């Protein structure tokens, strides 16, 4: 069985706006996480590495996971529970892990 093809001409414009806004937020998240990683490379402080990982999980991985789950569910015509339970749960678990990395980075003692 081959999955259904999505015809872009029948996608409502507000979904395209949502896609653009999500991709913009992910792009900004990539920039912020990259800057934190560059801070780690310059200072060689583990705090900055954990901060960069946490920011990447919250601002990049979480929205991308939600987007991938939604598109996959749409392609394979999965049940509504995928949108209402699994997608938010996966997104929130990733955010919790990312927040844990940020909290850990803030609790580390500086070597300076």
């Amino acid at each position: 069985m081959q999955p259904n093809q999505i015809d872009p001409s029948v996608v409502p414009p507000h979904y395209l706006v949502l896609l653009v806004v999500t991709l913009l937020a992910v792009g900004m998240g990539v920039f912020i996480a990259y800057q934190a990683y560059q801070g780690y490379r310059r200072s060689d402080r583990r705090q900055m590495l954990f901060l960069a990982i946490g920011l990447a999980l919250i601002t990049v991985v979480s929205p991308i996971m939600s987007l991938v789950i939604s598109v996959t569910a749409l392609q394979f015509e999965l049940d509504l529970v995928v949108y209402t339970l699994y997608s938010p749960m996966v997104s929130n678990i990733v955010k919790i892990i990312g927040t844990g990395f940020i909290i850990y980075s803030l609790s580390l003692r500086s070597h300076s």
Side-chain angles (χ1 to χ4, degrees):
M1 180 176 183
Q2 185 174 9
N4 295 336
Q5 297 296 319
I6 298 174
D7 183 10
S9 64
V10 297
V11 176
H14 54 273
Y15 285 115
L16 296 176
V17 171
L18 177 61
L19 176 64
V20 169
V21 169
T22 302
L23 293 177
L24 178 63
V26 167
M28 293 170 76
V30 167
F31 176 77
I32 290 170
Y34 179 74
Q35 292 300 317
Y37 177 73
Q38 288 297 95
Y40 161 70
R41 301 255 335 245
R42 281 191 301 271
S43 67
D44 200 30
R45 288 187 163 163
R46 289 182 54 213
Q47 295 98 328
M48 290 301 290
L49 177 61
F50 287 110
L51 179 65
I53 292 170
L55 288 171
L57 286 171
I58 291 172
T59 63
V60 178
V61 176
S62 177
I64 288 177
M65 291 293 294
S66 294
L67 194 60
V68 167
I69 291 170
S70 296
V71 169
T72 304
L74 185 62
Q75 277 285 83
F76 293 102
E77 297 179 356
L78 299 177
D79 290 333
L80 187 60
V81 72
V82 172
Y83 299 103
T84 60
L85 176 67
Y86 297 126
S87 181
M89 186 175 302
V90 168
S91 178
N92 285 331
I93 289 171
V94 171
K95 288 177 187 175
I96 289 168
I97 294 169
T99 304
F101 271 95
I102 292 172
I103 290 169
Y104 182 70
S105 76
L106 295 174
S107 67
L108 288 176
R109 298 262 184 231
S110 177
H111 292 106
S112 300

